């Protein structure tokens, strides 16, 4: 199945790269911080046409136009057409197409594609994680020698204070941190050992579904900040780490 999904996601990445004059194809969804471009919609429509026929009876759960369907029952494609839309609009070249295929609430296949770096991360449950076909692993660095990534839960400003509190606690224990602006790629950066940790107080299923499996298949850990499994049906917080820093979560005031 991964072999069939990958060329479709690469083609979706070509739509992202074809974008021109993005600001004039951009609209506010709920606020100036919540944008959608005509390219988000074009990528989602393309994936909605191409992916479900691969798995008869599957549902399509995309960010821009989720079917009225439960992604935790039966087969479901969980899709973020462009993760990192703010980066995309501003030409910051840190965005990805994210596709997960789940069965009864468990992600089985995952693809996250950064068309700007031409990096395609993939995983199959139990089959390891890969970047452009080469196996990837989380780092073995403790946070004291490490760098962590974080997200600001931009659509849920009520999490500002705890976000800053956790950021401060981690920053004091680390070398530095990054806010790169595409959660799926932040998680893939943990998976391939570029970052030791990542957290964000509120993400949607399409932000983490694919990359969550990529982290675990790369030998890392993902959970909510409360230590629970990630939700595929609702917003939740996300914590991802390599093996060495797994227990750090228990020491933090979240
Ligand atoms: C967002 C990005 C961002 C994260 C937000 C997400 P979008 O996704 O992943 O890094 O901080 O919480 O919603 O809106 O660009 O698809
Ligand atoms: Ca997203
Ligand atoms: Ca998006």
């Amino acid at each position: 199945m991964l072999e069939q999904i990958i060329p479709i996601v690469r083609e979706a990445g070509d739509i992202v790269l074809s974008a021109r004059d993005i600001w004039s194809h951009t609209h506010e969804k709920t606020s100036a911080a919540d944008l959608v471009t005509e390219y988000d919609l074009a990528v989602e429509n393309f994936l909605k046409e191409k992916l479900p026929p691969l798995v008869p009876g599957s549902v399509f759960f995309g960010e821009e136009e989720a079917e009225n369907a439960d992604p935790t029952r039966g087969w479901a494609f969980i899709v973020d057409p462009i993760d990192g839309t703010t980066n995309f609009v501003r030409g910051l070249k840190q965005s990805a197409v994210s596709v997960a295929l789940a069965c009864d609430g468990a992600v089985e296949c995952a693809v996250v594609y950064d068309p700007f770096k031409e990096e395609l991360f993939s995983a199959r449950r139990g089959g390891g994680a890969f970047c452009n076909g080469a196996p990837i692993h989380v780092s073995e660095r403790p946070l004291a020698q490490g760098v962590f990534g974080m997200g600001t839960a931009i659509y849920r400003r009520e999490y500002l204070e705890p976000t800053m509190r956790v950021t401060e606690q981690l920053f004091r224990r680390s070398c530095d941190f990054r806010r790169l602006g595409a959660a799926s790629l932040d998680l893939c950066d943990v998976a391939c050992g570029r970052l030791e940790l990542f957290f964000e107080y509120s993400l949607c299923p399409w932000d983490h579904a694919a990359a969550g499996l990529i982290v675990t298949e790369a030998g890392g850990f993902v959970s909510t900040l409360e230590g629970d499994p990630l939700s595929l049906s609702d917003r939740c917080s996300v914590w991802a780490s390599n093996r060495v820093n797994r227990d750090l979560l228990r020491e933090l005031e979240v």
Side-chain angles (χ1 to χ4, degrees), residues 26-159:
T26 300
H27 312 280
E28 288 184 12
K29 283 203 271 188
T30 57
S31 71
D34 186 6
L35 304 174
V36 62
T37 74
E38 286 164 30
Y39 296 99
D40 296 72
L41 302 175
V43 171
E44 181 150 321
N45 288 338
F46 171 78
L47 294 173
K48 195 172 180 178
E49 185 195 321
K50 299 285 180 181
L51 293 174
L54 299 179
V55 183
S58 60
V59 296
F60 185 89
F61 195 70
E63 174 177 12
E64 305 305 339
E65 204 194 326
E67 273 176 8
N68 196 7
D70 180 355
T72 63
R73 298 182 86 179
W75 288 97
F77 285 97
I78 303 171
V79 170
D80 194 337
I82 300 182
D83 184 39
T85 293
T86 299
N87 284 345
F88 173 63
V89 170
R90 293 170 175 279
L92 287 166
K93 300 193 178 186
Q94 172 79 359
S95 307
V97 179
S98 174
V99 171
L101 176 60
C103 184
D104 291 332
V107 178
E108 297 296 333
C109 291
V111 179
V112 174
Y113 179 44
D114 175 346
F116 298 104
K117 292 201 206 81
E118 292 187 36
E119 286 186 331
L120 188 136
F121 296 90
S122 62
R124 186 183 300 114
R125 176 171 298 281
F130 300 85
C131 178
N132 292 343
I136 54 170
H137 303 282
V138 292
S139 78
E140 292 182 0
R141 270 182 297 276
L143 191 59
Q145 291 148 29
V147 172
F148 70 94
M150 51 80 77
T152 46
I154 29 178
Y155 309 124
R156 294 291 159 114
R157 301 277 164 144
E158 65 269 30
Y159 291 117

Side-chain angles (χ1 to χ4, degrees), residues 108-207:
E108 297 296 333
C109 291
V111 179
V112 174
Y113 179 44
D114 175 346
F116 298 104
K117 292 201 206 81
E118 292 187 36
E119 286 186 331
L120 188 136
F121 296 90
S122 62
R124 186 183 300 114
R125 176 171 298 281
F130 300 85
C131 178
N132 292 343
I136 54 170
H137 303 282
V138 292
S139 78
E140 292 182 0
R141 270 182 297 276
L143 191 59
Q145 291 148 29
V147 172
F148 70 94
M150 51 80 77
T152 46
I154 29 178
Y155 309 124
R156 294 291 159 114
R157 301 277 164 144
E158 65 269 30
Y159 291 117
L160 175 62
E161 267 184 41
T163 296
M164 293 307 154
R165 198 165 58 225
V166 171
T167 301
E168 180 177 345
Q169 291 171 74
L170 292 173
F171 181 56
R172 288 184 187 283
R173 296 165 189 242
S174 69
C175 296
D176 203 352
F177 72 95
R178 297 286 182 270
R179 194 294 190 250
L180 296 170
S184 61
L185 291 178
D186 294 329
L187 288 164
C188 289
D189 282 340
V190 173
C192 68
R194 294 173 184 157
L195 296 174
E196 278 57 55
L197 284 177
F198 168 77
F199 84 93
E200 182 155 359
Y201 260 87
S202 179
L203 285 173
C204 288
W206 44 79
D207 298 314

